[in-house]
Amino acid sequence: MTKRVPVPLLVPAVLGLIFLILPLVGLLARTPWATLPARLAEPRVVEALRLSLLTSSLATVLCLLLGVPLAWLLARVEFPGRRLVRALITVPLVLPPVVGGIALLLALGRRGLVGQWLDTTFGITLPFTTAGVVIAESFVALPFLVIAVEGALRGADSRYEEAAATLGSTRWTTFTHVTLPLVAPGIAAGAVLCWARALGEFGATITFAGNYPGVTQTMPLAVYQTMESGDLEGAVVLSLILLVVSVAILAGLRDRWLTAP
Amino acid sequence: MTALLDAHLVVNRDAFHLDVVLRIAPGETVALLGPNGAGKTTALRALAGLAPLAGGHLRLDGEDLRRVPPEKRPIGVVFQDYLLFPHLSARDNVAFGPRRHGMDRRSAHAVADRWLERVGLADHGRRKPRNLSGGQAQRVALARALAVDPVLLLLDEPLAALDARTRLETRGELRRHLAAHPGATLLVTHDPLDALVLADRLVIVEQGRVVQEGDAVTITARPRTDYVARLVGLNLYRGHGAGHVVSLPGGFTLTSTDTVHGDAFVAFSPAAVALHAHRPDGSPRNTWPVVLDDVQHHGDNLRVRLDGPISVAADITPAAAAQLDLSPGRELWVAVKATETRAYQA
Amino acid sequence: MRIRIAATIGLTSLIVLAGCGGGTGPAAAEKSGSVTGPVTVFAAASLTESFTTLGKRFESTHPGVEVTFNFAGSSALATQINEGAPADVFASASPKNMAAVADAGTPATFVRNQLVIAVAKGNPKGITGLSGLTGPGLKVALCAEAVPCGAAARTAIDASGVKVTPVTLEQDVKAALSKVRLGEVDAALVYRTDAKASAAAVDAVEFPESAKAVNDYPIVVLTTAKNPGGARAFVDYVLSADGVRVLTEAGFQAP
């Protein structure tokens, strides 16, 4: 109880904490509390919030569908070039999201590598659509999920999978009946990270999906545009809403899912 | 009796090379006994299909299993730390195998309930593995492995994770279940007592090779390696026999009432070794001077390790020890009666 | 510290006086001779090409001066300046954004700009005016109304009575134009100057309603300028005959 914390550790730790919290304090200090309720009820705010929650949730589902199998492949199957694949997956982590947006345009845009074919064959164009927002968000959020789930899979004892095999379980049933339940907490943590990243996505979204209220204007875009128009107060309000909603949801999930079994 | 399992396992893993032949008859339990790193678990994994064979053959009930994946082999495994699925109840753990073999949920649960009852855990079916004691988990693991009606049952150190008391109870119970198993059973262990109690026959491996095999009586009476001798608690020496005398390398000789010629072993129990403060005289026996190296408790007695022309272990009573002043470096005399030694062909 | 501030204020008033009394233009600036140091110019995105050219020429006639530009949507620039970004000169694409800046002195209008419809090279959709932007499946990008090109577009569209539904509201005119260049939209309302700067990739379609939405571009030396001397000299150069020539060549109209 009375163990002393060494000063060379304590001071930077406290400074780090202040550094993280100070901007939030700044946000709260400038919040116009009196006009807050009226601002909250504004249709464009409700619209942007609804869109943000919808797209980030859809992006999380998409990331789960693609990311969990990918993580399994990386964690459980030896194949040539695995290290390269793992390095490639982390690229969207370090890539500025705007660059990601441009890259998405060049691949999935109306004149993009694949987008051109989608347009001529199926008449599907992704930019400026809500689906485009989901894709932009998934692109930047997927690495978070893959890395979290791969870590969980590597941490899980693969001998359980061998035990399942000796009981007559094929690799697929082992995956669904043994592996998935074993790494469920890791998947949940990855999904939450992924969702949070998707919710905060700005650069790739505005570049790839554009900015139109009700269709592609998510909360971060609304914040930016409000700020641009000189309405700092409005931007603060929107930021606060985004902050409160994400913290509330993360806290809720933490209690329900993320506590150790 | 024809062998149900007929295997010649050749496995190469890094620098380790395993090459053992195993044959097990229906209803027979064979213990694969050996020191750590001898390749016991590797052999078990190769049988279960979890480690690839580099050569040899593997036939079970006449079927060549070499290219059969683990999930298709009629083999049940009890793993060392049981590996019960932590997210499933005891009942679902046992029902897991039958379900994977195509049984519907209701029938699989019925099978599971029957097995849980057999191992005395009928009222523990709903418990998760983390709420089971070590002994209970061991029994669930056994029930899970047997619930798929395996032709070959493999047990990897099934009692190693248990405390001494539970171990005693579980060992007896396990013996009963193994006796009831109609297929072949291979028990991997490093504990000679487990092997002696549970197995009909012992196969002893060291460094990936079989060094000795046979029934318990033969092996305990006539060990052929230092490891086996230590395992069964005998002093063992190898030398050249000429009648009643066996000459060891270095010129030391031991006398036995047995007759042996050529390459030979001499073995005697530590309890047969008498210690004296001075050179004993009298009847014809093996005597030589020694220096005390180390004393340890061994059951109710003391086990004394002694250096000299040959190293030897002696078991003495605490009363005898009190008269001798057993401090390291103490010089003593050893005497072993010729009638207490056993000499046999190497 | 206090002494330095006093000196800076003194210098500012001196330059302002000189600016009022003397002639404008490069000759006057050259004569001052004492103009040195970095000058930071915040300019509307639509000024990117012409101001870059002007900056280079200004530096060559004013050795010792280094001009740095920050090009972005005018509203973003106004916000940045109000939040304390270190700018010496602000050139906005509309008086509204200029008025939003608290530290603006007395701005002068230096050019005017008009909207055109930017379309892909060769005008594949055959767009001839605002009414051509309403076709089904036709994708149009506008600037967000917070930025001048967006406000002007709104005015022009309202004047025409045509109902144009854009697919996106871009943050500045360059972003809107790039969506045309990428082929992601079929048309965008942008400034004539921007279309001209990208003439290799896009065609400009003039339309009559743009006359109702002419943008005045004001420029000012900010009262918070760290280098008021250099700032004044740059503004004077923009307003000089040399400056006007570069700007009109880029498609701007003289005020």
Side-chain angles (χ1 to χ4, degrees):
Chain A
M1 278 305 268
T2 53
K3 267 185 200 162
R4 296 189 63 153
V5 179
V7 174
L9 288 176
L10 185 65
V11 171
V14 171
L15 280 177
L17 188 65
I18 291 173
F19 173 63
L20 286 175
I21 289 176
L22 199 59
L24 300 180
V25 173
L27 195 65
L28 291 173
R30 300 250 322 236
T31 303
W33 300 102
T35 55
L36 196 59
R39 290 270 191 181
L40 277 173
E42 277 178 34
R44 66 185 190 104
V45 174
V46 176
E47 189 78 293
L49 187 60
R50 183 194 69 84
L51 191 67
S52 266
L53 294 177
L54 175 74
T55 53
S56 52
S57 302
L58 287 175
T60 306
V61 171
L62 184 64
C63 287
L64 281 170
L65 289 176
L66 303 178
V68 172
L70 183 54
W72 180 85
L73 202 67
L74 286 173
R76 289 283 187 274
V77 182
E78 295 271 355
F79 59 90
R82 186 163 70 156
R83 292 176 62 154
L84 180 72
V85 171
R86 193 175 290 133
L88 283 176
I89 282 168
T90 56
V91 166
L93 281 182
V94 293
L95 204 66
V98 181
V99 178
I102 294 171
L104 280 172
L105 273 179
L106 297 178
L108 299 172
R110 201 156 63 144
R111 300 276 179 278
L113 279 177
V114 178
Q116 200 168 0
W117 172 77
L118 282 177
D119 188 16
T120 50
T121 315
F122 303 105
I124 297 172
T125 55
L126 290 168
F128 316 121
T129 62
T130 306
V133 178
V134 173
I135 283 176
E137 290 180 348
S138 300
F139 179 74
V140 293
L142 186 56
F144 287 85
L145 184 93
V146 174
I147 287 170
V149 176
E150 197 204 337
L153 281 168
R154 289 178 167 277
D157 193 340
S158 64
R159 293 180 312 146
Y160 284 110
E161 294 166 12
E162 292 183 345
T166 66
L167 292 167
S169 185
T170 61
R171 255 188 141 167
W172 168 247
T173 30
T174 299
F175 174 74
T176 55
H177 285 66
V178 175
T179 314
L180 275 187
L182 280 179
V183 298
I187 293 177
V192 167
L193 262 181
C194 173
W195 181 84
R197 178 66 188 89
L199 187 71
E201 217 304 303
F202 173 77
T205 309
I206 200 165
T207 312
F208 178 65
N211 171 42
Y212 197 77
V215 182
T216 60
Q217 192 181 75
T218 55
M219 283 296 275
L221 272 62
V223 171
Y224 181 68
Q225 180 159 330
T226 311
M227 179 87 178
E228 283 252 278
S229 65
D231 182 5
L232 186 61
E233 194 179 90
V236 170
V237 169
L238 287 168
S239 307
L240 191 72
I241 294 168
L242 196 55
L243 187 73
V244 168
V245 168
S246 45
V247 167
I249 291 178
L250 288 181
L253 291 180
R254 196 193 185 86
D255 288 345
R256 197 159 301 172
W257 289 3
L258 303 185
T259 42
Chain B
M1 208 151 38
T2 57
L4 191 59
L5 173 73
D6 174 12
H8 175 201
L9 306 173
V10 180
V11 179
N12 296 317
R13 204 189 54 217
D14 304 326
F16 183 76
H17 185 70
L18 176 82
D19 189 337
V20 301
V21 172
L22 284 172
R23 281 195 189 83
I24 309 179
E28 188 187 26
T29 298
V30 168
L32 197 57
L33 189 65
N36 287 331
K40 309 183 297 283
T41 298
T42 303
L44 180 140
R45 290 175 59 81
L47 288 170
L50 301 172
L53 281 182
H57 62 260
L58 173 53
R59 270 188 296 278
L60 183 61
D61 205 7
E63 190 194 354
D64 186 352
L65 288 186
R66 272 178 302 176
R67 298 195 190 288
V68 177
E71 66 266 22
K72 292 249 173 10
R73 296 187 183 193
I75 292 176
V77 186
V78 176
F79 291 90
Q80 184 170 0
D81 35 9
Y82 317 138
L83 298 176
L84 295 178
F85 304 127
H87 60 288
L88 297 181
S89 66
R91 186 192 203 205
D92 285 332
N93 262 284
V94 180
F96 187 92
R99 284 285 283 150
R100 300 290 87 74
H101 284 83
M103 205 177 276
D104 63 70
R105 184 185 299 267
R106 184 193 291 257
S107 316
H109 275 157
V111 168
D113 290 341
R114 211 156 52 237
W115 273 106
L116 284 174
E117 198 182 333
R118 263 206 235 182
V119 298
L121 292 173
D123 51 347
H124 289 66
R126 288 172 171 277
R127 293 208 189 168
K128 290 281 173 67
R130 63 173 175 278
N131 297 324
L132 294 171
S133 70
Q136 290 167 345
Q138 199 275 344
R139 280 138 75 191
V140 174
L142 181 67
R144 184 176 72 171
L146 289 172
V148 293
D149 290 327
V151 175
L152 172 64
L153 177 66
L154 302 172
L155 302 109
D156 190 3
E157 306 276 6
L159 304 169
L162 302 176
D163 62 72
R165 221 178 67 84
T166 321
R167 199 166 177 161
L168 196 66
E169 289 167 14
T170 315
R171 191 185 286 129
E173 209 181 312
L174 184 58
R175 184 184 156 81
R176 194 162 51 79
H177 289 297
L178 295 187
H181 177 53
T185 302
L186 181 73
L187 165 76
V188 159
T189 182
H190 72 279
D191 183 337
L193 191 55
D194 286 349
L196 294 176
V197 172
L198 298 173
D200 304 312
R201 192 155 56 83
L202 276 58
V203 173
I204 292 158
V205 284
E206 280 180 67
Q207 292 169 340
R209 307 271 163 171
V210 175
V211 293
Q212 191 167 0
E213 61 178 301
D215 58 47
V217 176
T218 314
I219 286 184
T220 48
R222 304 189 155 193
R224 303 185 76 83
T225 71
D226 280 342
Y227 167 73
V228 183
R230 262 202 317 281
L231 211 60
V232 299
L234 292 180
N235 291 301
L236 178 73
Y237 308 94
R238 187 171 187 159
H240 189 82
H244 294 302
V245 176
V246 177
S247 314
L248 307 188
F252 192 83
T253 58
L254 285 169
T255 309
S256 171
T257 44
D258 295 337
T259 309
V260 68
H261 289 281
D263 231 3
F265 287 111
V266 182
F268 51 87
S269 158
V273 180
L275 287 184
H276 302 268
H278 306 286
R279 178 172 197 152
D281 37 33
S283 57
R285 39 183 170 173
N286 303 296
T287 60
W288 65 94
V290 292
V291 176
L292 192 144
D293 179 34
D294 177 39
V295 184
Q296 280 179 350
H297 283 282
H298 189 257
D300 289 338
N301 290 334
L302 297 174
R303 172 154 295 180
V304 186
R305 300 211 162 272
L306 304 150
D307 278 341
I310 57 171
S311 307
V312 64
D315 283 356
I316 59 171
T317 60
Q323 296 178 357
L324 279 170
D325 170 29
L326 297 178
S327 51
R330 171 98 153 95
E331 294 183 4
L332 296 162
W333 282 81
V334 155
V336 181
K337 287 180 184 164
T339 49
E340 300 274 7
T341 66
R342 197 165 296 121
Y344 49 93
Q345 212 75 37
Chain C
M1 212 54 185
R2 184 165 293 167
I3 294 166
R4 238 179 98 183
I5 292 167
T8 312
I9 293 169
L11 192 63
T12 314
S13 40
L14 197 74
I15 299 294
V16 170
L17 282 175
C20 293
T24 55
E30 270 161 39
K31 253 183 273 167
S32 71
S34 63
V35 172
T36 52
V39 177
T40 308
V41 178
F42 278 32
S46 48
L47 293 167
T48 307
E49 293 82 9
S50 41
F51 264 37
T52 306
T53 310
L54 283 177
K56 283 200 191 106
R57 292 199 188 178
F58 178 73
E59 279 175 354
S60 66
T61 55
H62 293 74
V65 181
E66 201 186 316
V67 186
T68 353
F69 290 105
N70 176 18
F71 295 110
S74 297
S75 60
L77 294 173
T79 309
Q80 288 172 17
I81 292 167
N82 283 337
E83 291 298 313
D88 296 313
V89 173
F90 180 34
S92 163
S94 91
K96 181 182 157 230
N97 298 117
M98 182 57 83
V101 174
D103 301 319
T106 316
T109 299
F110 64 106
V111 283
R112 320 176 85 185
N113 208 351
Q114 240 173 292
L115 293 177
V116 295
I117 302 168
V119 295
K121 201 77 191 156
N123 196 358
K125 302 272 177 180
I127 293 163
T128 52
L130 284 184
S131 56
L133 301 183
T134 56
L138 199 89
K139 293 194 160 123
V140 180
L142 298 182
C143 296
E145 282 178 40
V147 288
C149 68
R154 182 48 50 205
T155 310
I157 289 168
D158 287 349
S160 71
V162 175
K163 189 172 159 28
V164 176
T165 309
V167 292
T168 181
L169 302 172
E170 295 294 319
Q171 295 312 304
D172 62 44
V173 64
K174 294 294 180 198
L177 189 65
S178 74
K179 291 290 194 284
V180 179
R181 299 183 58 162
L182 282 164
E184 294 301 336
V185 296
D186 301 301
L189 291 194
V190 301
Y191 293 121
R192 178 188 287 153
T193 50
D194 296 301
K196 192 160 180 174
S198 298
V202 300
D203 281 349
V205 177
E206 300 275 351
F207 62 101
E209 294 88 346
S210 73
K212 302 218 167 59
V214 175
N215 267 39
D216 286 343
Y217 280 52
I219 190 167
V220 76
V221 176
L222 294 163
T223 57
T224 50
K226 288 218 175 66
N227 183 3
R232 184 74 249 161
F234 180 77
V235 171
D236 285 345
Y237 181 66
V238 170
L239 294 169
S240 71
D242 208 12
V244 169
R245 184 151 39 76
V246 170
L247 288 161
T248 47
E249 272 168 21
F252 287 105
Q253 296 153 277

